[in-house]
Amino acid sequence: MIDFGAMTNALVACDADKITGLVNDALAAGTPAADILNKGLIAGMDIVGEKMESGDMFIPEVLMAAQVMGSCVEILKPMLGEDDDVSPGSVIIGTVKGDLHDIGKNLVAMMMESAGLEVHNLGVDIAPESFVEEIKKKNAQIVCLSALLTTTMPAMKQTVDAIVESGLRDQVKIMVGGAPVTQAFADEIGADGFSADAGSASKMAKSFAAD
Ligand code: B1M
C-alpha cells in the first residue's frame, strides 16, 4: 500500500531526501508514475499553494518545494511517456509574459516529447512578439501557452492577437492551459484548444499534428 500522503507531506516540508526515497520505493513497488505525480506530488503542490495564500509559506519556501518537485519529476520522466509512436509536428511552448511558473508547462513539454513531438520549450515570461518570432524560426505547427495567474491570462489573448496580426494564424494551432484557464476562456480569446493537464495536452497536440 503506497502512502501518497507521506509524499505530499515530504514535499510540503521540502524534504528532498525523504521524498526521493519514497518516490523510488513506490516505483520499485510497481506504482504507476502518473499516480505518484497526481496523488503524491501535485497534491503536495496544491497544499503549498494553499499555505502560500494563507501566509503560512513564503516565496523562498515555495521555490524550494518547486525545486524538490522538479527533482521528483526528473526521476519520473522516463516512466511518464505515453507511447513510442513518433508523429511529425513541431511545437513551441512557453509561459506567457509576466508569469514565472514553469513546473506544469515543463510537464506538458515532457509529455509531448515522450509522445514523439518535436518540442521547443521557450521558458517563462515570453512576450507575444517572441512567440511570433519563434513560430517563424522553428516553422511551428502548434503553439502552447501556459499561464498560472489570473493577472497573466490577458497576455494569452495578446499573444493570440499578435499571431493573428503577424499573418501566421492559419499556419498554427494554438493551445492554452494552466490552472486558472478554462475552455470558455480559450474560446473567448480564439484559441484552438484547451487542456486541463499534461496528458490531455499531449493527446490534443498529437491529434493536431496528425491533421
Ligand atoms: Co505562484 N501562485 N505566485 N509561485 N504558485 C499560484 C499559481 C497560486 C494559485 C497560489 C495561491 O495563492 N493559492 C497564486 C495565483 C492566484 C491567481 O492568480 N489566481 C500564485 C501567486 C499569487 C503567485 C505570486 C503573485 C506570489 C507573490 O509574489 N506574491 C508570484 C507570481 C510570480 C510571477 O509569476 N510573476 C508567484 C510565484 C511563485 C513561485 C516563483 C514562488 C513558484 C513558481 C516556481 C516555478 O514554477 N518554477 C510558485 C508556485 C510553485 C505556485 C504553486 C504553489 C504551484 C504551481 C505548480 O507548479 N503546480 C501555485 C498553487 C497551485 O497551483 N496549487 C501558485 C503544479 C503543476 C504541475 O500544476 O502548473 O497547474 P500546473 O500545471 C498543470 C495544468 O495546469 C496544465 O498541465 C499541468 C500538468 O498537469 N497546464 C497546461 C499548465 N500549463 C499548461 C499549458 C498547456 C496545457 C496544459 O498548453 C497547452
Side-chain angles (χ1 to χ4, degrees):
M1 181 75 176
I2 300 301
D3 189 354
F4 293 110
M7 277 181 213
T8 299
N9 292 339
L11 183 59
V12 176
C14 304
D15 189 338
D17 288 343
K18 177 145 193 201
I19 196 166
T20 48
L22 290 166
V23 167
N24 282 318
D25 288 350
L27 286 173
T31 313
D35 280 357
I36 297 173
L37 181 68
N38 293 317
K39 297 179 188 169
L41 306 181
I42 292 183
M45 287 313 274
D46 284 344
I47 294 175
V48 170
E50 285 160 20
K51 285 186 177 287
M52 187 177 169
E53 203 166 11
S54 62
D56 293 321
M57 263 179 110
F58 297 101
I59 301 290
E61 296 163 287
V62 177
L63 271 174
M64 272 176 69
Q67 275 170 7
V68 173
M69 167 102 184
S71 330
C72 294
V73 168
E74 280 303 312
I75 299 174
L76 298 178
K77 202 170 174 176
M79 275 72 77
L80 282 172
E82 284 177 313
D83 54 49
D84 294 329
D85 282 357
V86 177
S87 33
S90 166
V91 180
I92 61 172
I93 181 166
T95 305
V96 295
K97 191 170 171 57
D99 201 319
L100 303 175
H101 296 83
D102 68 356
I103 297 175
K105 181 260 302 167
N106 290 343
L107 269 171
V108 173
M110 201 182 83
M111 293 292 280
M112 289 183 179
E113 272 170 10
S114 312
L117 295 160
E118 179 191 321
V119 180
H120 304 276
N121 190 340
L122 307 183
V124 296
D125 191 21
I126 306 299
E129 52 278 20
S130 303
F131 276 105
V132 169
E133 250 171 59
E134 293 297 326
I135 293 171
K136 289 181 195 155
K137 269 196 211 155
K138 307 286 180 339
N139 194 21
Q141 291 167 259
I142 299 166
V143 181
C144 296
L145 310 178
S146 179
L148 261 286
L149 300 170
T150 45
T151 49
T152 55
M153 287 167 69
M156 286 185 148
K157 172 157 173 37
Q158 287 153 15
T159 306
V160 174
D161 290 348
I163 295 170
V164 172
E165 280 156 27
S166 71
L168 295 168
R169 182 66 185 92
D170 291 343
Q171 292 174 37
V172 289
K173 295 286 187 192
I174 303 176
M175 295 170 53
V176 293
V181 180
T182 60
Q183 180 65 57
F185 180 74
D187 295 341
E188 187 187 314
I189 66 171
D192 298 298
F194 157 74
S195 318
D197 56 54
S200 57
S202 171
K203 283 198 185 92
M204 184 180 283
K206 272 188 86 171
S207 73
F208 281 146
D211 273 355

